[in-house]
Amino acid sequence: MKTIDFKNLTALQVMQDAPVIPVIVLNDVAHAVPMARALVAGGIRMLEVTLRTPQALACMEAIAKEVPEAVVGAGTVRSAADAKAAANAGAVFAVSPGYTSAVGKACRDLGLPLLPGVATGSEIMMAQEDGFTELKFFPAMQAGGSALLKAWSGPFFDINFCPTGGLILTNAPDFLSLPNVKCVGGSWLTPADAMASGDWARITKLATEASQLKR
Ligand code: 3PG
């Protein structure tokens, strides 16, 4: 894998690094480092740790400190305060489930490349107006799936998408074959039961399969 320049990391690099960005929910700080190592061993290093549990920031900190091969990002960034806390914990990119200019500005001020979440044409236009052209399409399956992305490729021909929400190994290829899709996101690489039982080999296997998806 190519070395990453964290200071000049761009949203496009975040999208292009691997076919899948894992969307991670961590309930135990002790799981963070072995899980990150398991994903890296499978060829996935852009890791979206969601701000959905009280332990999320401590988990980011642990990964940033102890797994230098991983690139830690924060998911579920919904406010400027979330973005700041994530940057302080060592996150070097951010993903949001929706978009507000306040989140966009905070990430820009912090130097955090952001993948803003969108599900409609108006949201795409708002994000683009603020300078964002690499967007998360969420919730992808529920909002219209690959058919919607095909429709968007006309008017939004200069936007790159990372569809997330309802994606798994078997439906990811349908999305990855589209020219306006650079990668997909999903939680299937880090199942809660594998995490709870410390089955890191299973996570490496899931990451290996994901990293070999064609795009
Ligand atoms: C997200 O925030 O991107 C989603 O919760 C991930 O969706 P999934 O669990 O259906 O992969």
Side-chain angles (χ1 to χ4, degrees):
M1 279 191 254
K2 278 194 213 138
T3 317
I4 285 277
D5 177 1
F6 292 103
K7 287 210 174 56
N8 294 307
L9 186 67
T10 64
L12 190 59
Q13 280 176 309
V14 173
M15 275 191 178
Q16 284 179 327
D17 204 57
V20 184
I21 298 176
V23 177
I24 302 161
V25 178
L26 281 158
N27 289 298
D28 187 338
V29 182
H31 294 162
V33 167
M35 178 221 61
R37 289 195 178 124
L39 289 167
V40 169
I44 304 273
R45 64 179 170 178
M46 292 286 164
L47 313 184
E48 177 188 335
V49 176
T50 57
L51 291 170
R52 292 182 203 181
T53 62
Q55 299 80 10
L57 291 168
C59 290
M60 284 177 212
E61 247 173 65
I63 298 168
K65 198 164 135 207
E66 293 181 47
V67 193
E69 312 90 321
V71 183
V72 193
T76 320
V77 172
R78 298 185 301 171
S79 65
D82 282 349
K84 197 159 180 215
N88 283 340
V92 294
F93 69 91
V95 185
S96 57
Y99 181 68
T100 66
S101 290
V103 165
K105 183 178 182 315
C107 288
R108 184 157 293 130
D109 291 349
L110 290 160
L112 279 184
L114 170 69
L115 305 182
V118 296
T120 67
S122 300
E123 290 159 8
I124 296 172
M125 287 165 66
M126 276 188 265
Q128 191 171 22
E129 210 162 81
D130 289 351
F132 296 95
T133 51
E134 275 68 45
L135 310 179
K136 160 171 163 151
F137 168 34
F138 175 78
M141 288 306 283
Q142 297 85 345
S146 58
L148 185 52
L149 283 163
K150 278 180 204 151
W152 280 346
S153 69
F156 304 117
F157 56 87
D158 50 355
I159 302 288
N160 294 312
F161 293 97
C162 168
T164 305
L167 272 78
I168 50 174
L169 187 73
T170 46
N171 63 10
D174 180 35
F175 289 86
L176 289 167
S177 66
L178 301 175
N180 57 348
V181 170
K182 293 288 170 248
C183 70
V184 302
S187 60
W188 86 87
L189 277 61
T190 49
D193 60 331
M195 213 99 85
S197 63
D199 191 351
W200 312 123
R202 181 167 158 221
I203 290 179
T204 295
K205 184 172 176 283
L206 290 165
T208 305
E209 286 167 356
S211 65
Q212 287 167 358
L213 284 165
K214 298 271 171 293
R215 34 177 181 175

